[in-house]
Amino acid sequence: MRPIRLKMMGIGPYASEINLDFSKLNEEGLFLITGATGAGKTSIFDGITYALFGRANFDDNEKKNGIICDYIDDNEKSKAYAEYTFDLDGIEYRVKRTPPYEYINRNGKPSKKSECVEIEFKDEIKTNKKEVDKFIEEDIIKLDYKQFKKIIMLAQGSFSEFIQANSNQKSEILKQIFNTDIYEKVSYKLKDRVDMIRKNIYKNKGDIFAGLRTLEIEDEEWKNLLEGEILDYEKLNLIIRSSKLSLETAIREKQNKKSKLDIVTLTKEIEKSKAINEGIKKLHSAENDLLTLQKQDKDIESKKNQIKINQEAMKINGEYETLLASQKNLDEKQKEFFRNKNSLIDAQNISKEKFVNYDKFKRELEETSELISKMSVLEEDLKVFIFHEKEMVNLNKEIKKLTRRLRDTKRSIKHLNSQKCYFEHIESTLKKELEESKKINDHRGLLEKKQLILTPVLANLDNIISIETKIELQQKDIDKLIELTQKKLDIYSDLSHRWFENEAYNLSKELEPGKPCMVCGSTTHPSLPKKPSNSPTKEELNKNKDKYEICKEKLNLCEGNLFSLKNQLECENNKFLESIALNNLPEDRVSLLNLKGEYQDKISDLNTKLETLPTQADLDEAAQNKNENNDKIIQAVAKESEISTNLEVSQSQLKGFIEANFNIKNKFEKRKLNIKDFDETLSSTINRHNKLEDLIKEIEDLKEQIKTQEIQLDSSKKNIEDLEEDLKTKQKKWNESLKDHNFIDIDEYCSIINLPVDSITNEIQVYKDKTIAFKTIISESEKFKNLDLIDLEELNEKSKLITQEINELDKFINREQTKLNSFINPEKKLEDSRKILGDKGKQYKTFNKLYEISVGKYGEKRNNITFQNYVLAVYFQDVLDRANDRLSIMTNNQYHMRLDTGKKGNAGSGLEVNIFDSHTGKERSIKTLSGGETFKASMALALGLSDVVQSQNGGVKLDSVFIDEGFGTLDEESLSVAMDILMELKSSGRTVGIISHVSELKQTITSQIKVEKTVRGSKAEVIY
């Protein structure tokens, strides 16, 4: 990610809009943000992190909630925004974010406006906040806010945060950076597999014993094995075989006993006796039923006569049905005739008004048809006109775009031609100045060696002055504490004296004449103590005592610190004297500073000269720039030609469309039609035409309908007259038929014809069937005529006893057989489980061992280092290797960071860091480093982490790094080394931004963003 532009308004201290162009700063590679304390230097970085993540690059909650500038009014809060444009892999992204704010709505109530964000890239814009935040973190930068803060945006005060974090905190950060969750998932998968195998083993054992418990075995050893769930295959199988043998023996004995009982013969005898008794009963029943049936003979004969009369009536029933049908048909035709007649009268009344407008509608229809025909001819012209209009809009846009591009290209060619002359002149000049630069470099190297000797001596002297200042301040603090302690002591002594006087007064109130005093023992009390004024309570006395003791402890602590500072001063003085004697330097600070200033001035003069002189890289760059400029000229000329051609083509097309549309417009005007209203006019004309056609068709249909109804009515009238004549003839013939068949009148005929013939016939047939059936039974049961009923009770009782005994035997056999069958599955499962549980036991041991190894809990020497932390330690070792390359340079090979392999237990998670000091040859905690040393180690580690992340994760490209403060803790030599490291980053293609108050950096780094305070917020500008 390389910054291009940052625009902010109403953010942090920036009330007015600032627009920072990073393009020149990117060319330089290293830039400095300068300004007074509180001016808003860090807010530049805040603007970048807020635009990307919606969070500022700090952890102060109050400042977070107040990201909007305090200098702007409430009605200007809606204008606040942060917009950051950056380049990544050749793609330009623009992110704009507006912060949330509270306001008073129209109803006078407080409301809150939510945060808004948008991102633009490749002519695409996203505005959904969740989608944009996820897109930035996962698809573009591929770092979240915390990772960004640790790797790219190194905020003020957080340099040592990562390096001094404990192993677990480092682990959480590195997990996110290196995405090592997969290794943790391996442990989870192994744990799941171990748990699954263990559950399967328990389940299989449970299933086996559940099956064995279903067996009814009365054996004490069996019960003990099941209760303890002891899987002793030999004992269990022996008990099962013994139980099965006992059951089989008992079943055979009962089966032999059952075979001796003869129930079959007895059952046959009982069945035969039952059949005889049934035959006797059936014979007696049939004889009785036949006598009862014969009593109905007269009634049956009467019903037979009714059937014969009905059959006679049925002979003329056809005539009767025909007469009824004719009468019904005549009635229906008469009703239909009157309905049609009324309908015709209604239709004639309705049609009178419509027939009047018929000719008028016909004429209007002809007129609309002619108009539609004319407009249809122009409809295609209208489509062409609209198409041309759209194309003309697009062509105008294209022409403007091409004109702008042509103008820009011509300017570019003009600029490139002027650059060509400039690059040729530069190349010639650089060759001459390169020789002079080499001579100055040699002389500067000699002065720098002398300066390196002088730097630690001055640092030693500065330490002495600093310690002397601290001693002076410490002595002043001691004097103040002595005075304060004495005051506290005086107050406590006075309060203590008054408290004891008050206690004496309280005791004196309990004295009685002639009795001894509980304090002195005297029986006389000539002068009793008086009650003191303002006597303190015990709590007040203790509180003042505590205040005195606290002051006393502070005094002792300050005196100890003073003693320590004096010892430190003595050591520093000895070290200083040794240094100046060894290097033959003056003792006083002024002379040393003058000597340093002399060296610095000379080096500065030489540097000034060198800054004006080129290097070989400058010469190579000038030649490359000249060649690149020539290539750009060729490309720009070709591009100019292509754009000109495209512009001419577009202009020609536009001219053709304009002429065509002019002709079409003239056509419409000649026919007195308006192009804008054409569609509406055509649509309304067609609608009217369709409506007229419908009205004319309706009138014509109505005429045809009336004519048809008149014809139908005449036909119906004639048909009715014919039906009436036919009905009279049929009625006369019917009366003659009644007399011929001996019926008095129509009523008598209807009573006969309506008899329930089927029911009577069925009743007669049932009578015949029953008579035959009873006579058949009597004939077939002749053999039972003289027999008596047999007594079955004795036979049934004997059968019942034998059947009961057989049932008891069957129950016993079935029960014992069921028990025997119940052994099959448990016995088979018991045998199968031998192999299954053996295999699963081996699997459990294997996977449990792998799981314990993955979580660091296998074997006697358990280190608690998980698989994931082991992988993280490998990554972290790579980070330390990269960091140590820079730390060694910054500390003159004194310090080297190492992983702490000595910790055990929970602390030994593999990511603790120690520092190896080559001067002492010993390792110690990295937390013991001084402020400046911690800055060096933290900076080296942060840059090492950036290197490893970029090399390990192809998706994360770290083109920039931003550092906020920390350089003030470095001495001059360390600052110079740190600058060399930053220059190395610059030369590797990264953009490095620094916030610092160190004056040496202001002189060294010329590319700057200068921040100034004003009465209405701050302003910022880029200086090259």
Side-chain angles (χ1 to χ4, degrees):
M1 180 188 73
R2 196 179 299 279
I4 296 176
R5 184 177 302 279
L6 175 65
K7 294 172 70 177
M8 288 194 299
M9 180 177 179
I11 300 294
Y14 300 101
S16 302
E17 184 178 68
I18 63 167
N19 188 347
L20 303 177
D21 186 353
F22 287 87
S23 55
K24 287 288 184 182
L25 302 179
N26 287 330
E27 291 176 8
E28 291 296 324
L30 180 64
F31 67 90
L32 180 70
I33 301 178
T34 66
T37 300
K41 301 184 295 297
T42 301
S43 294
I44 301 292
F45 290 168
D46 292 344
I48 294 174
T49 52
Y50 181 73
L52 291 173
F53 301 103
R55 298 176 64 180
N57 196 28
F58 46 70
D59 291 325
D60 177 41
N61 287 328
E62 291 183 5
K63 193 173 181 183
K64 260 185 202 172
N65 295 332
I67 189 72
I68 294 179
C69 180
D70 292 333
Y71 290 101
I72 66 175
D73 299 330
D74 289 345
N75 57 1
E76 294 179 316
K77 287 181 180 179
S78 61
K79 299 177 182 178
Y81 75 93
E83 180 181 298
Y84 179 50
T85 306
F86 61 95
D87 175 85
L88 187 64
D89 291 332
I91 300 173
E92 185 174 306
Y93 298 88
R94 182 186 65 81
V95 185
K96 183 176 181 180
R97 195 181 297 266
T98 58
Y101 61 90
E102 292 184 351
Y103 65 97
I104 304 300
N105 61 24
R106 294 178 181 177
N107 298 325
K109 295 182 180 179
S111 296
K112 188 169 184 179
K113 175 71 174 176
S114 301
E115 180 181 270
C116 297
V117 63
E118 67 175 35
I119 182 167
E120 181 180 359
F121 63 99
K122 292 183 178 179
D123 297 328
E124 184 179 346
I125 297 177
K126 294 178 181 286
T127 57
N128 182 277
K129 184 178 182 302
K130 288 185 179 179
E131 184 181 347
V132 171
D133 291 342
K134 184 179 179 183
F135 181 62
I136 291 172
E137 289 189 16
E138 297 182 5
D139 297 337
I140 302 177
I141 301 179
K142 300 184 179 177
L143 297 171
D144 62 19
Y145 166 73
K146 290 182 179 178
Q147 295 168 338
F148 187 84
K149 184 178 174 183
K150 301 292 181 189
I151 298 171
I152 295 177
M153 191 71 70
L154 305 177
Q156 183 174 351
S158 67
F159 259 62
S160 61
E161 188 177 314
F162 178 73
I163 199 169
Q164 294 185 348
N166 61 35
S167 194
N168 289 332
Q169 291 168 335
K170 287 192 187 81
S171 174
E172 289 302 316
I173 296 170
L174 293 174
K175 279 180 192 177
Q176 293 179 327
I177 294 173
F178 294 111
N179 194 20
T180 58
D181 288 344
I182 186 173
Y183 304 105
E184 188 176 34
K185 288 176 182 176
V186 169
S187 296
Y188 291 153
K189 289 288 184 183
L190 288 170
K191 179 68 167 61
D192 292 343
R193 189 64 181 272
V194 168
D195 291 342
M196 184 186 71
I197 295 170
R198 186 193 300 114
K199 286 177 182 177
N200 284 339
I201 290 172
Y202 289 156
K203 184 177 182 301
N204 288 342
K205 285 181 72 176
D207 290 345
I208 291 164
F209 281 104
L212 294 177
R213 288 189 183 97
T214 62
L215 302 180
E216 297 181 14
I217 299 176
E218 296 297 329
D219 184 272
E220 193 63 31
E221 187 176 11
W222 173 266
K223 289 180 181 177
N224 293 335
L225 290 171
L226 295 190
E227 287 175 2
E229 292 196 349
I230 301 167
L231 207 56
D232 189 332
Y233 289 99
E234 301 303 327
K235 289 182 180 179
L236 290 169
N237 281 322
L238 182 62
I239 295 169
I240 288 171
R241 284 195 294 271
S242 175
S243 298
K244 284 172 69 179
L245 184 60
S246 300
L247 288 170
E248 288 168 353
T249 302
I251 289 169
R252 280 196 299 272
E253 290 176 355
K254 297 297 181 182
Q255 285 173 339
N256 291 334
K257 185 176 181 181
K258 178 185 173 184
S259 63
K260 295 176 181 179
L261 297 171
D262 186 8
I263 190 67
V264 177
T265 303
L266 182 60
T267 302
K268 288 179 179 178
E269 186 180 350
I270 291 170
E271 291 299 322
K272 186 178 178 181
S273 299
K274 283 181 180 180
I276 293 169
N277 287 347
E278 286 295 324
I280 294 168
K281 290 176 181 178
K282 192 175 182 181
L283 174 61
H284 293 166
S285 176
E287 288 174 343
N288 293 331
D289 291 338
L290 183 59
L291 291 173
T292 303
L293 192 63
Q294 287 171 348
K295 294 176 181 178
Q296 301 176 10
D297 288 348
K298 290 180 180 181
D299 186 44
I300 292 300
E301 284 300 323
S302 173
K303 289 180 178 179
K304 286 179 180 180
N305 290 329
Q306 289 179 349
I307 293 296
K308 287 178 182 180
I309 296 170
N310 178 264
Q311 289 172 352
E312 192 67 25
M314 289 301 293
K315 291 178 182 179
I316 59 172
N317 188 53
E319 290 183 40
Y320 179 65
E321 292 292 335
T322 303
L323 179 64
L324 291 178
S326 297
Q327 183 64 52
K328 184 179 180 183
N329 188 23
L330 177 61
D331 293 340
E332 289 175 354
K333 290 293 182 180
Q334 287 175 339
K335 288 178 183 178
E336 183 182 357
F337 173 79
F338 288 114
R339 278 199 306 272
N340 291 338
K341 187 176 180 180
N342 292 331
S343 176
L344 176 60
I345 292 167
D346 293 339
Q348 288 171 340
N349 292 332
I350 293 169
S351 60
K352 284 179 183 179
E353 184 179 349
K354 292 186 177 179
F355 289 166
V356 173
N357 295 321
Y358 178 74
D359 294 334
K360 178 184 174 183
F361 291 157
K362 289 284 282 184
R363 286 194 300 274
E364 189 178 352
L365 180 64
E366 290 173 1
E367 291 172 359
T368 55
S369 297
E370 184 180 353
L371 181 59
I372 289 168
S373 176
K374 289 179 181 178
M375 295 184 77
S376 297
V377 175
L378 295 173
E379 196 169 9
E380 286 300 320
D381 289 335
L382 180 63
K383 290 179 181 177
V384 172
F385 182 87
I386 293 169
F387 172 75
H388 286 173
E389 286 291 319
K390 290 180 181 177
E391 288 298 312
M392 285 160 63
V393 172
N394 294 333
L395 282 170
N396 277 322
K397 289 181 181 177
E398 182 65 19
I399 288 167
K400 286 181 182 178
K401 183 179 176 183
L402 289 171
T403 303
R404 186 168 59 252
R405 286 179 61 195
L406 183 62
R407 183 177 64 249
D408 293 344
T409 305
K410 286 181 178 179
R411 287 178 183 170
S412 179
I413 292 171
K414 184 178 179 181
H415 174 70
L416 289 170
N417 283 327
S418 64
Q419 287 287 94
K420 181 180 179 182
C421 298
Y422 171 74
F423 286 137
E424 289 173 350
H425 172 72
I426 289 294
E427 186 178 22
S428 173
T429 306
L430 288 175
K431 287 179 181 177
K432 296 176 184 177
E433 295 177 345
L434 193 61
E435 289 297 324
E436 185 182 352
S437 175
K438 290 179 181 177
K439 294 177 183 178
I440 294 174
N441 262 325
D442 295 339
H443 184 48
R444 185 182 67 174
L446 182 63
L447 289 172
E448 285 175 343
K449 287 181 181 177
K450 292 180 180 180
Q451 193 179 35
L452 284 173
I453 295 170
L454 189 61
T455 299
V457 175
L458 275 170
N460 190 211
L461 185 59
D462 288 340
N463 286 341
I464 291 171
I465 294 169
S466 174
I467 293 169
E468 287 174 345
T469 303
K470 289 179 182 178
I471 289 172
E472 184 179 347
L473 293 172
Q474 193 71 50
Q475 186 62 56
K476 289 179 181 179
D477 290 342
I478 289 171
D479 293 341
K480 289 179 182 178
L481 282 171
I482 289 172
E483 183 180 352
L484 181 61
T485 304
Q486 186 60 47
K487 287 181 181 179
K488 298 291 183 185
L489 178 60
D490 293 343
I491 292 169
Y492 171 67
S493 299
D494 178 56
L495 290 173
S496 179
H497 176 70
R498 281 188 279 158
W499 185 80
F500 280 113
E501 283 184 347
N502 187 61
E503 286 297 301
Y505 169 74
N506 291 335
L507 290 172
S508 68
K509 290 192 291 183
E510 299 178 6
L511 294 175
E512 296 179 12
K515 291 186 178 181
C517 173
M518 63 184 70
V519 178
C520 62
S522 174
T523 55
T524 60
H525 317 293
S527 58
L528 295 173
K530 297 179 180 178
K531 179 176 177 64
S533 61
N534 298 327
S535 59
T537 63
K538 182 67 174 177
E539 185 180 5
E540 290 174 342
L541 183 65
N542 290 336
K543 190 182 290 185
N544 280 277
K545 182 181 179 182
D546 291 342
K547 288 180 181 178
Y548 161 67
E549 289 177 349
I550 289 169
C551 286
K552 190 176 180 182
E553 285 177 6
K554 285 183 180 179
L555 178 61
N556 293 336
L557 181 63
C558 287
E559 288 174 343
N561 290 340
L562 180 63
F563 179 76
S564 175
L565 286 170
K566 287 180 178 178
N567 288 338
Q568 191 176 350
L569 178 63
E570 185 179 354
C571 292
E572 291 293 330
N573 275 323
N574 293 335
K575 184 178 177 182
F576 173 72
L577 292 173
E578 287 176 6
S579 297
I580 61 174
L582 181 66
N583 296 300
N584 196 23
L585 295 172
E587 293 185 11
D588 62 293
R589 176 178 172 79
V590 176
S591 299
L592 288 170
L593 287 173
N594 289 337
L595 190 59
K596 180 185 177 182
E598 182 182 342
Y599 290 157
Q600 184 65 42
D601 290 343
K602 288 180 180 179
I603 291 172
S604 179
D605 292 341
L606 292 175
N607 284 336
T608 303
K609 289 181 181 179
L610 283 173
E611 286 176 359
T612 61
L613 296 175
T615 63
Q616 183 61 43
D618 294 329
L619 182 60
D620 294 339
E621 184 181 358
Q624 183 180 354
N625 289 339
K626 184 182 76 173
N627 294 334
E628 288 176 354
N629 191 72
N630 291 336
D631 293 339
K632 288 178 181 178
I633 291 172
I634 295 168
Q635 293 171 3
V637 170
K639 185 177 179 182
E640 180 189 17
S641 175
E642 180 187 352
I643 294 170
S644 297
T645 303
N646 292 338
L647 183 59
E648 289 173 3
V649 171
S650 296
Q651 287 172 338
S652 175
Q653 288 177 344
L654 180 63
K655 185 177 179 182
F657 288 148
I658 291 170
E659 290 174 356
N661 274 15
F662 179 77
N663 294 333
I664 292 169
K665 199 171 182 182
N666 284 339
K667 271 188 188 182
F668 276 81
E669 287 175 353
K670 285 178 183 179
R671 289 166 175 78
K672 297 180 180 181
L673 291 172
N674 190 339
I675 289 178
K676 292 182 180 178
D677 301 333
F678 181 81
D679 287 337
E680 186 179 346
T681 304
L682 179 60
S683 176
S684 63
T685 304
I686 290 170
N687 289 338
R688 181 58 182 168
H689 181 271
N690 294 337
K691 188 175 180 181
L692 287 168
E693 284 182 335
D694 293 340
L695 288 169
I696 290 168
K697 187 176 183 306
E698 182 184 350
I699 293 168
E700 289 173 348
D701 289 345
L702 191 58
K703 285 181 178 180
E704 188 64 30
Q705 181 184 348
I706 290 169
K707 186 177 179 181
T708 303
Q709 284 180 341
E710 287 174 347
I711 295 169
Q712 289 175 348
L713 198 63
D714 291 340
S715 176
S716 296
K717 186 176 180 182
K718 188 176 183 305
N719 191 21
I720 289 168
E721 289 173 354
D722 293 341
L723 287 173
E724 286 175 346
E725 187 63 32
D726 181 61
L727 182 62
K728 288 177 182 179
T729 304
K730 287 179 179 177
Q731 181 69 47
K732 184 179 180 182
K733 187 180 178 182
W734 166 248
N735 291 332
E736 291 174 356
S737 295
L738 282 176
K739 290 178 182 180
D740 293 342
H741 289 83
N742 300 317
F743 289 104
I744 299 170
D745 54 22
I746 188 67
D747 294 333
E748 182 185 1
Y749 173 81
C750 289
S751 65
I752 294 300
I753 203 69
N754 291 326
L755 284 174
V757 176
D758 292 339
S759 175
I760 294 169
T761 304
N762 186 54
E763 190 177 345
I764 293 169
Q765 187 61 42
V766 169
Y767 171 80
K768 288 179 181 179
D769 292 343
K770 284 184 178 181
T771 301
I772 294 168
F774 294 149
K775 287 180 179 179
T776 302
I777 292 169
I778 292 168
S779 175
E780 289 174 352
S781 303
E782 189 69 27
K783 59 184 176 180
F784 302 111
K785 195 166 185 180
N786 300 317
L787 296 179
D788 296 326
L789 293 171
I790 301 170
D791 186 3
L792 296 174
E793 288 185 7
E794 185 180 350
L795 292 173
N796 285 332
E797 186 62 29
K798 184 177 179 182
S799 174
K800 183 179 178 182
L801 292 172
I802 294 172
T803 301
Q804 189 174 357
E805 187 175 359
I806 290 171
N807 289 338
E808 291 295 327
L809 290 171
D810 285 339
K811 284 181 183 178
F812 179 84
I813 292 167
N814 290 335
R815 184 172 63 250
E816 298 305 297
Q817 186 63 49
T818 301
K819 287 182 183 180
L820 188 60
N821 293 338
S822 68
F823 281 79
I824 296 172
N825 285 336
E827 190 176 14
K828 186 176 183 305
K829 282 185 179 178
L830 183 64
E831 192 57 36
D832 293 343
S833 69
R834 224 188 257 263
K835 183 176 184 308
I836 293 170
L837 290 178
D839 293 342
K840 288 188 176 178
K842 291 176 183 177
Q843 285 182 6
Y844 176 78
K845 288 179 181 177
T846 303
F847 282 101
N848 192 52
K849 180 178 178 181
L850 288 173
Y851 168 68
E852 288 179 348
I853 292 171
S854 75
V855 295
K857 294 181 179 180
Y858 179 74
E860 296 178 359
K861 297 180 179 180
R862 302 181 178 187
N863 54 18
N864 279 343
I865 297 178
T866 65
F867 186 24
Q868 184 179 30
N869 273 9
Y870 176 79
V871 174
L872 288 175
V874 173
Y875 279 124
F876 195 43
Q877 184 61 57
D878 193 9
V879 172
L880 291 180
D881 291 342
R882 303 288 184 98
N884 283 327
D885 292 341
R886 293 189 174 95
L887 184 63
S888 297
I889 296 171
M890 287 193 278
T891 62
N892 290 325
N893 295 317
Q894 180 180 358
Y895 292 130
H896 188 84
M897 287 182 284
R898 294 178 176 176
L899 282 175
D900 184 2
T901 57
K903 289 194 175 182
K904 297 180 180 179
N906 293 331
S909 50
L911 301 176
E912 297 290 343
V913 180
N914 281 344
I915 196 79
F916 175 75
D917 189 340
S918 63
H919 290 183
T920 64
K922 295 179 181 179
E923 275 188 39
R924 54 190 168 95
S925 172
I926 200 164
K927 297 178 183 178
T928 62
L929 293 176
S930 67
E933 291 169 340
T934 299
F935 173 77
K936 293 177 187 177
S938 301
M939 181 176 170
L941 191 62
L943 297 175
L945 184 61
S946 296
D947 292 342
V948 173
V949 168
Q950 186 156 346
S951 63
Q952 293 288 343
N953 188 352
V956 179
K957 192 166 184 179
L958 308 176
D959 294 324
S960 307
V961 62
F962 305 102
I963 304 171
D964 188 355
E965 290 296 355
F967 295 93
T969 60
L970 303 180
D971 58 34
E972 191 171 350
E973 181 182 1
S974 298
L975 179 62
S976 176
V977 174
M979 283 300 299
D980 290 340
I981 297 295
L982 295 177
M983 294 302 289
E984 177 199 339
L985 287 176
K986 165 191 168 183
S987 63
S988 67
R990 294 190 192 177
T991 297
V992 182
I994 301 171
I995 292 177
S996 181
H997 295 88
V998 178
S999 58
E1000 287 86 343
L1001 292 180
K1002 295 180 184 178
Q1003 296 172 5
T1004 305
I1005 303 172
T1006 56
S1007 295
Q1008 298 178 1
I1009 296 176
K1010 189 175 181 182
V1011 181
E1012 293 182 5
K1013 281 185 179 180
T1014 70
V1015 294
R1016 179 103 168 97
S1018 298
K1019 62 180 182 178
E1021 62 176 336
V1022 178
I1023 301 173
Y1024 306 117

